[in-house]
């Protein structure tokens, strides 16, 4: 029981998460309900990652999940709705690059809870196919023209004429979106909504439908729909203009210019909140700008317009044929390489187009019986062309699949690939040559190290002879003391000198360039055993040489520095030789 209670409370939190985040954006401070509704729905769209899915992807998802053959009034449960949303977002992640992947599970959860809260507020666990199609087609990304064309294909009959009852059903479903974001009083459904959108027209075709819904201004009940698309288009638009209220040097998004106050402009934040200063009033008419044009560009545009070099008014949409085939439900809108059935659909589509071309050619040219052979040859050529196009299409798809597999395997190189790639083979040969060169240099350094050790051994024998000679002289001297003699003959403990230590007294005239250990060995003060100190110096040189040899295996660029260290080592030995020759001086 405790687990069930925790699951239900978690589910309630997830259902309220999107609405809590939307309230945190503080959209309610926006003065105009149209902008307030559009901003809230745009937030829901982006938070659920619907702005990354266009209407063609939605049509493909509907078809793949078998919704195209279902009646609009058929009901689907929440589990099937979740399956449809999963296919939408998983296909989206396949299209996106790896660096821009979305959290699929989070997007599914947020969107599922929003749809259930919008269309199943009474908790029946079901919603109609038409409601889901209307909601997803309205809230997805893409162009508003494509959305409206698909919506018209769902509410028109086989003759391409809009059915008022279906349009009324569409308004019922789509106007639940403003109600879901707490804007129902401004854009709620009423019984007069249909006649408000189409007050006079009786026979509504596609072009008339687009003219009404894409007009400026659009119908009052749907005025938030084109505004939501304009919000998406101006999110990153920069205006190098100062706001007349907040004095910001530039503005992003929309820019509003007063039609009565000269040079008075507001950023979208100040305009949405109803800010005004000076003689300007909120009752003044403001013009919305979604782009920035320099004064020179405005002048050239006005001159071109006055000279008739450009059309005065452009149509809001292209004119479509009245009896055109509806392309929204065709299988060739989008295709994926993973499904073999999708390839078969493309081939059937090519064959259908070819048959249509052949039918048009036969209808347009009524040839006499004497030209039957010519028509037969033409049809044969068309069939051959169709076959060639199908084969070419198949080859292109196979090539795309092969390139995709090669791209996936490129990130995991194997030895077999290296043997087949001449570039990799050349790099391997260069690396082997470099390795052999480094090994030869390492052998030369080891040989130099052995020579240094031989020289150090000779120097140690020389110093030992000097010590014995000095000890014999000190022992025969009548002025020598036992303590002094013991200090010269007893071995001193070997100690290592840190890199930062310095000797207290150094004979600067003869020990220049010698290491710290050797300098300490020849320092003035308490006499020490020179043989032990020389061993410390030899160990220091040996350790230095070992570190240089190790660096040869890892760093190629440091060879010149290591050879310089070798020269310094030889100078140290040379200095030690000179120092050994001076052992007979009075300083000892």
């Amino acid at each position: 029981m405790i687990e069930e209670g925790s699951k239900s409370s978690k589910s309630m939190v997830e259902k309220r998460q999107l609405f809590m985040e939307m309230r945190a954006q503080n959209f309610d401070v926006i003065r105009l309900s149209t902008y307030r509704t559009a901003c809230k729905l745009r937030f829901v769209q982006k938070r659920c990652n619907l702005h990354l899915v266009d209407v063609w992807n939605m049509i493909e998802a509907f078809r793949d999940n078998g919704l195209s053959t279902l009646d609009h009034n058929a009901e689907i449960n929440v589990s099937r709705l979740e399956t449809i949303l999963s296919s939408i977002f998983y296909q989206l992640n396949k299209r996106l690059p790896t660096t821009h992947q979305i959290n699929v599970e989070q997007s599914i959860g947020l969107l599922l809870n929003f749809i259930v809260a919008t269309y199943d507020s009474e908790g029946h666990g079901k919603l109609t196919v038409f409601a889901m199609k209307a909601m997803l087609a309205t809230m997805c990304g893409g162009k508003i023209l494509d959305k409206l064309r698909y919506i018209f294909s769902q509410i028109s009959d086989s003759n391409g004429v809009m059915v008022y009852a279906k349009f009324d059903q569409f308004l019922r479903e789509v106007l639940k979106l403003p109600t879901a974001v707490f804007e129902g009083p401004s854009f709620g459904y009423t019984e007069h909504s249909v006649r408000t959108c189409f007050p006079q027209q009786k026979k509504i075709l596609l072009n008339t439908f687009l003219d009404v819904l894409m007009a400026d201004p659009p119908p009052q009940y749907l005025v938030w729909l084109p505004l939501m698309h304009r919000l998406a288009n101006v999110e990153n638009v920069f205006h190098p203009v100062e706001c007349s209220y907040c004095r910001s040097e530039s503005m992003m998004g929309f820019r509003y210019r007063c039609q009565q106050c000269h040079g008075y402009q507001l950023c979208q934040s100040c305009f949405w909140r109803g800010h005004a200063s000076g003689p300007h009033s909120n009752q003044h008419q403001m013009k919305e700008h979604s782009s920035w044009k320099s004064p020179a560009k405005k002048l050239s545009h006005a001159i071109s317009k006055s000279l008739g070099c450009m059309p005065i008014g452009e149509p809001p949409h292209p004119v479509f044929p009245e009896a055109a085939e509806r392309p929204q439900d065709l299988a060739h809108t989008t295709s994926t390489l993973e499904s073999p059935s999708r390839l078969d659909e493309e081939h059937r589509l090519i064959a259908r187009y070819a048959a249509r071309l052949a039918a048009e050619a036969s209808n347009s040219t009524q040839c006499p019986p004497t030209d039957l052979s010519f028509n037969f040859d033409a049809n044969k050529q068309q069939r051959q062309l169709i076959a060639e196009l199908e084969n070419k299409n198949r080859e292109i798809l196979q090539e795309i699949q092969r390139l995709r597999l090669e791209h996936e395997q490129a990130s995991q190189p194997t030895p077999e690939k290296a043997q087949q790639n001449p570039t990799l083979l050349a790099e391997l040969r260069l690396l082997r040559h470099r390795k052999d060169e480094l090994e030869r240099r390492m052998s030369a350094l080891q040989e130099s190290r052995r020579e240094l050790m031989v020289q150090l051994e000779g120097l140690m024998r020389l110093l030992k002879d000097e010590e014995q000679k000095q000890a014999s002289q000190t022992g025969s001297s009548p002025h020598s003391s036992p303590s002094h003699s013991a200090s010269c003959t007893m071995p001193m403990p070997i100690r290592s000198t840190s890199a930062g230590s310095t000797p207290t007294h150094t004979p600067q005239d003869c020990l220049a360039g010698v290491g710290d250990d050797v300098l300490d060995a020849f320092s003035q003060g308490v006499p020490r055993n020179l043989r032990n100190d020389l061993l410390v110096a030899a160990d220091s040189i040996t350790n230095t040489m070992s570190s240089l040899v190790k660096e040869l295996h890892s760093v190629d660029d440091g060879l010149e520095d290591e050879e310089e260290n070798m020269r310094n080592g030889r100078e140290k030995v040379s200095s030690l030789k000179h120092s050994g020759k001076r052992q007979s001086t009075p300083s000892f």
Side-chain angles (χ1 to χ4, degrees):
M1 294 297 293
I2 297 176
E3 292 181 358
E4 292 179 358
S6 62
K7 288 182 180 179
S8 62
S9 62
K10 182 179 179 181
S11 177
M12 291 297 295
V13 171
E14 291 178 351
K15 289 182 179 179
R16 296 176 181 175
Q17 178 182 355
L18 185 63
F19 296 101
M20 293 171 62
E21 293 180 2
M22 185 179 64
R23 287 184 181 275
Q25 299 296 319
N26 200 20
F27 291 123
D28 291 330
V29 301
I30 300 177
R31 181 171 57 98
L32 300 176
S33 60
T34 304
Y35 287 97
R36 192 166 58 243
T37 305
C39 288
K40 289 180 178 180
L41 292 177
R42 174 62 177 168
F43 172 80
V44 174
Q45 182 191 51
K46 295 181 66 176
R47 188 67 181 86
C48 298
N49 290 312
L50 278 175
H51 66 295
L52 302 175
V53 184
D54 61 19
V55 67
W56 304 110
N57 302 132
M58 286 296 178
I59 297 172
E60 180 187 10
F62 298 157
R63 185 180 61 251
D64 292 343
N65 289 274
L67 300 180
S68 300
T69 58
L70 293 179
D71 186 77
H72 283 175
N73 296 323
E75 293 184 340
I76 60 174
N77 54 25
V78 177
S79 61
R80 186 171 182 183
L81 174 61
E82 185 176 3
T83 302
I84 297 170
L85 298 182
S86 300
S87 66
I88 292 172
F89 287 113
Y90 278 111
Q91 288 295 330
L92 171 62
N93 253 0
K94 290 182 180 180
R95 295 189 298 269
L96 294 176
T98 56
T99 55
H100 293 76
Q101 298 286 297
I102 65 170
N103 189 337
V104 174
E105 297 298 331
Q106 185 183 40
S107 300
I108 294 173
L110 291 175
L111 184 56
L112 180 65
N113 291 326
F114 179 75
I115 295 176
V116 171
T118 304
Y119 294 98
D120 188 30
S121 57
E122 297 180 358
H124 298 298
K126 294 181 179 180
L127 70 158
T128 63
V129 172
F130 185 75
M132 188 198 64
K133 285 184 176 181
M135 183 271 173
L136 292 178
T138 303
M139 291 296 294
C140 68
K143 299 179 180 179
I144 187 172
L145 177 63
D146 297 333
K147 290 184 181 182
L148 295 178
R149 289 179 63 196
Y150 173 72
I151 292 170
F152 185 82
S153 69
Q154 301 298 305
I155 62 175
S156 59
D157 57 15
S158 58
N159 296 322
V161 180
M162 188 188 77
V163 180
Y164 277 90
K166 291 185 178 181
F167 180 69
D168 181 74
Q169 185 182 2
F170 167 73
L171 287 181
R172 286 177 184 270
E173 303 300 343
V174 79
L175 290 179
K176 290 180 182 179
L177 293 172
T179 304
V181 294
F182 316 107
E183 297 296 334
S186 300
F187 300 103
Y189 172 80
T190 63
E191 296 179 355
H192 306 287
S193 300
V194 177
R195 292 301 174 184
T196 304
C197 297
F198 300 98
Q200 298 177 356
Q201 291 87 350
K202 295 182 180 180
K203 186 178 179 180
I204 307 299
L205 301 177
L206 175 59
N207 292 311
T208 307
F209 179 80
L210 296 177
D211 288 338
V212 173
L213 268 67
M214 298 184 67
D216 188 16
Q220 179 60 31
Y221 289 96
L222 296 174
V223 68
W224 50 269
L225 180 58
L227 179 58
M228 186 175 68
H229 286 79
R230 295 204 306 272
L231 280 174
N233 294 331
V234 302
E235 284 182 348
N236 299 319
V237 174
F238 176 77
H239 303 269
V241 181
E242 182 183 17
C243 178
S244 300
Y245 182 84
C246 65
R247 297 301 176 185
S248 177
E249 295 182 356
S250 60
M251 57 186 73
M252 297 288 291
F254 286 121
R255 174 172 55 91
Y256 298 90
R257 175 186 288 273
C258 181
Q259 300 299 296
Q260 298 182 26
C261 304
H262 177 71
Y264 193 90
Q265 302 188 80
L266 292 176
C267 62
Q268 67 178 21
S269 179
C270 294
F271 176 75
W272 290 355
R273 286 159 177 77
H275 294 161
S277 60
H280 178 70
S281 172
N282 289 330
Q283 305 301 322
H284 291 179
Q285 184 180 2
M286 302 290 288
K287 185 177 181 180
E288 180 185 278
H289 294 273
S290 58
S291 62
W292 162 255
K293 293 182 181 179
S294 62
K297 191 172 183 180
K298 289 181 181 178
L299 179 60
S300 62
H301 181 81
I303 294 175
S304 300
K305 188 175 181 181
S306 62
L307 295 176
C309 299
M310 58 184 302
I312 298 176
E314 297 181 356
H317 63 85
V319 179
F320 298 96
E322 294 183 357
E325 182 181 0
R326 292 174 291 183
Q328 289 83 354
D329 293 328
L330 293 180
H332 74 288
T333 52
T334 52
S335 62
T336 55
L337 298 174
E338 291 79 6
S339 176
S341 62
R342 195 72 44 75
L343 301 180
D344 297 335
E345 290 178 0
E346 290 182 355
H347 297 158
R348 288 196 297 269
L349 182 64
I350 294 174
R352 187 190 309 170
Y353 284 161
R356 183 186 301 172
L357 291 174
E360 291 178 356
S362 61
N363 293 332
S364 60
T365 58
Q366 299 294 333
C367 299
T370 56
D371 296 336
L372 290 177
S373 60
F374 175 78
N375 291 336
F376 178 78
D377 294 337
N379 292 333
K380 184 178 180 180
Q381 292 178 358
Q382 289 179 357
R383 286 195 297 271
Q384 291 177 353
L385 180 60
I386 293 169
E388 291 177 359
L389 290 175
E390 289 181 349
N391 293 331
K392 190 65 175 179
N393 183 36
R394 217 175 278 112
E395 292 175 0
I396 291 173
L397 293 175
Q398 292 176 357
E399 182 68 16
I400 293 174
Q401 183 68 17
R402 185 185 64 82
L403 292 175
R404 178 179 294 179
L405 292 176
E406 289 183 358
H407 177 71
E408 292 176 354
Q409 296 174 0
S411 58
Q412 300 177 357
T414 58
E416 292 78 6
K417 288 184 180 181
Q419 294 177 1
Q420 299 175 1
N421 194 333
T423 305
L424 293 178
L425 290 175
E427 293 180 355
L428 288 175
R429 293 194 197 96
L430 182 60
L431 289 175
R432 292 193 187 100
H433 178 72
R434 199 65 173 172
K435 179 183 176 184
D436 295 339
E437 183 180 355
L438 290 175
E439 289 179 351
R440 289 194 297 270
R441 293 194 179 187
M442 185 177 68
S443 300
L445 289 173
Q446 290 177 350
E447 184 65 26
S448 301
R449 178 174 176 269
R450 284 193 293 270
E451 293 178 358
L452 285 175
M453 295 302 296
V454 172
Q455 294 178 5
L456 285 173
E457 289 178 0
L459 186 59
M460 288 171 61
R461 287 194 297 270
L462 177 62
L463 292 177
K464 185 177 180 181
D465 295 340
E466 292 293 334
E467 277 188 357
Q468 291 178 356
K469 185 185 297 184
Q470 186 178 5
S472 61
Q473 293 177 358
T474 306
S476 61
S477 175
H479 300 286
S480 63
S481 60
S483 62
H484 181 70
S485 176
S487 66
C488 293
T489 56
M490 292 179 63
M492 298 293 291
I494 300 176
R495 64 184 181 90
S496 61
T497 307
S498 62
S501 61
T502 54
T504 55
H505 300 283
T506 306
Q508 300 293 336
D509 55 342
C510 62
L511 298 179
V514 182
D516 294 338
D517 293 327
V518 181
L519 290 175
D520 197 8
F522 288 92
S523 62
Q524 298 178 1
V526 181
R528 298 175 51 190
N529 192 302
L530 298 178
R531 182 173 179 273
N532 292 333
D533 290 329
L534 186 60
L535 287 175
V536 172
D539 289 339
S540 176
I541 296 175
T542 303
N543 293 334
T544 304
M545 293 300 301
S546 299
S547 64
L548 292 176
V549 173
K550 291 179 180 179
E551 289 178 359
L552 278 173
H553 292 281
S554 59
V555 181
D556 181 38
D557 296 333
L559 290 174
E560 295 180 1
D561 297 334
E562 292 170 354
E563 291 176 358
E564 184 68 22
N565 292 333
M566 288 295 303
R567 288 195 294 270
N568 293 337
R570 293 190 181 94
E571 291 176 1
K572 289 183 180 180
V573 173
S574 177
S575 301
L576 288 174
K577 288 183 180 181
H578 290 296
S579 301
K581 293 180 181 180
R582 297 187 182 184
Q583 297 298 320
S584 59
T585 59
S587 61
F588 285 93

